[in-house]
Amino acid sequence: MCVKNISSVPEERKLFMEVFVGIDSIPRSLNNPVLTIGNFDGVHRGHQTLFQRVRDWASKLNGEAVVVTFDPHPLRVLRPGNGPLFITPHDRKLQLIAASGIDVTVVIPFDHRFAQISATDFVTELLVRKLGVRAIVVGYDYRFGRGREGDIAFLENMGKVYGFEVQTVSAIEIDGTMVSSTMIRKCIQDGALAEASRLLGRPYEISGTVVRGRNRGGRLLGFPTANIRIHEHAPPKRGVYVVEAVVGGKVYGGAANLGYNPTFGDTELSLEVHLSGFDQDIYDQVITVRFLERLRDEQRFSGIEELVAQIKKDCEKAKALLEAGRR
């Protein structure tokens, strides 16, 4: 299957990128491909450095910048029920890779059969015979093949045999913090959204379908909210946040509560977003919520009056912070 014109959300630059699902679906020979391979969850600043190296090298070879990634995440297959929560869903990951200027992404469906491919066969059959690799850029700790048996030294030796070059990229650090998907997940789950955004190179976001809640926001509290289901995203720490939401290609500011609504005794985790001055019917629409700053912990109030007073303070503070950030 070939999907063309994968692009970012409307406010990001749009770039053309071909996506091939499965190695055998590629209908043409790639032109002097320079590859990088990985899961790339989050498409963070470390990944972006890899992509930049790939683009630069492809430009020198007059070739194509190519990303090889996997779906589902290998740990979801190898450790079912124990895999990581995603920073970015698969479709969003492809959009972000496209926005990074990559020409082609090859998505390999990952299953137990693929997991048994040896490091030798991975190089000879996939990289050399099917992709025609000219050069490859990988992270300093890259491993591949059955049981992660292949390492960079092995890859370099195979490159000498089959005529492709290998370049490694060292760990990327920002103010002493190593950029990694694991570290970013920890920041998100600890509520350290500013740090997560710094490592990602953009605000952390959750996309989801607006569903009908308990109809308390507008009717009971005077603050209508969009209620969003959270599936496999890495959820931030429970609490109240300053947010921006992308709705129908436009960006709106507001505040969001992520939690269990202890004042009402709810038992299901919910994301409730109040957008300032927004009154459209968006049920069943997919919106994207960007977490900009954490305001406070979720808390239980003595009653509706006290809750409404605090929501008003939260919304006023969120509005002030958003306005200050846009100056």
Side-chain angles (χ1 to χ4, degrees):
M1 174 179 160
C2 171
V3 182
K4 296 188 177 182
N5 198 24
I6 291 292
S7 61
S8 54
V9 295
E11 67 277 9
E12 294 170 343
R13 59 179 179 149
K14 292 191 176 186
L15 294 169
F16 176 88
M17 182 177 78
E18 291 180 287
V19 178
F20 302 112
V21 180
I23 291 283
D24 294 328
S25 72
I26 303 175
R28 62 176 178 83
S29 297
L30 299 179
N31 179 37
N32 291 335
V34 179
L35 311 177
T36 188
I37 306 170
N39 294 302
F40 304 118
D41 185 28
V43 192
H44 55 59
R45 292 174 70 175
H47 299 147
Q48 293 162 29
T49 298
L50 277 173
F51 298 158
Q52 180 67 56
R53 296 281 184 90
V54 169
R55 292 201 313 271
D56 290 346
W57 204 348
S59 179
K60 291 178 182 178
L61 295 177
N62 194 29
E64 293 179 284
V66 181
V67 164
V68 177
T69 191
F70 307 95
D71 184 45
H73 192 293
L75 290 180
R76 287 290 174 92
V77 175
L78 300 176
R79 302 177 193 170
N82 211 14
L85 293 169
F86 293 127
I87 302 169
T88 47
H90 180 67
D91 288 348
R92 180 58 174 149
K93 179 174 75 172
L94 294 179
Q95 291 178 336
L96 291 167
I97 292 172
S100 298
I102 294 298
D103 299 311
V104 175
T105 289
V106 179
V107 181
I108 296 177
F110 193 92
D111 54 22
H112 286 286
R113 181 178 178 182
F114 185 85
Q116 293 305 309
I117 294 176
S118 68
T120 298
D121 286 346
F122 184 87
V123 173
T124 58
E125 295 300 311
L126 275 70
L127 301 188
V128 175
R129 189 171 72 84
K130 294 187 176 179
L131 295 179
V133 60
R134 282 290 308 280
I136 184 167
V137 182
V138 291
Y140 70 99
D141 58 349
Y142 179 67
R143 300 190 72 93
F144 63 99
R146 182 178 53 224
R148 294 169 56 84
E149 63 187 4
D151 58 13
I152 291 172
F154 176 85
L155 191 61
E156 290 173 337
N157 287 333
M158 295 293 277
K160 292 174 183 177
V161 174
Y162 290 99
F164 62 86
E165 296 183 71
V166 178
Q167 184 182 109
T168 59
V169 175
S170 301
I172 305 300
E173 290 191 4
I174 300 176
D175 298 332
T177 300
M178 188 173 75
V179 181
S180 71
S181 299
T182 299
M183 175 57 71
I184 292 168
R185 286 189 200 101
K186 184 178 187 304
C187 290
I188 292 166
Q189 292 169 333
D190 288 347
L193 273 299
E195 178 70 2
S197 296
R198 198 164 61 91
L199 302 180
L200 282 168
R202 65 184 184 281
Y204 175 66
E205 63 186 35
I206 286 178
S207 295
T209 302
V210 177
V211 298
R212 296 189 181 275
R214 289 178 167 79
N215 197 27
R216 288 192 294 241
R219 176 183 58 82
L220 189 62
L221 305 177
F223 291 90
T225 60
N227 299 278
I228 300 168
R229 284 202 181 103
I230 298 176
H231 294 291
E232 295 181 325
H233 291 80
K237 186 177 181 180
R238 297 198 302 273
V240 177
Y241 292 86
V242 181
V243 299
E244 287 181 338
V246 182
V247 184
K250 296 182 179 180
V251 180
Y252 302 88
N257 181 79
L258 177 68
Y260 293 92
N261 293 308
T263 303
F264 295 100
D266 293 350
T267 58
E268 184 177 346
L269 182 68
S270 65
L271 175 60
E272 298 176 311
V273 185
H274 172 72
L275 302 177
S276 179
F278 186 87
D279 61 358
Q280 299 176 32
D281 182 347
I282 53 173
Y283 287 123
D284 299 322
Q285 289 188 36
V286 175
I287 71 172
T288 297
V289 180
R290 298 172 180 156
F291 293 79
L292 305 182
E293 188 168 337
R294 193 167 192 271
L295 293 179
R296 62 175 175 85
D297 287 338
E298 185 179 42
Q299 61 190 94
R300 183 189 298 274
F301 295 94
S302 60
I304 291 175
E305 186 174 323
E306 186 181 9
L307 172 59
V308 169
Q310 183 60 55
I311 292 175
K312 185 177 180 181
K313 291 178 183 178
D314 293 336
C315 290
E316 289 173 348
K317 188 171 183 179
K319 183 177 180 181
L321 289 169
L322 286 163
E323 289 178 349
R326 288 167 181 162
R327 289 189 185 125

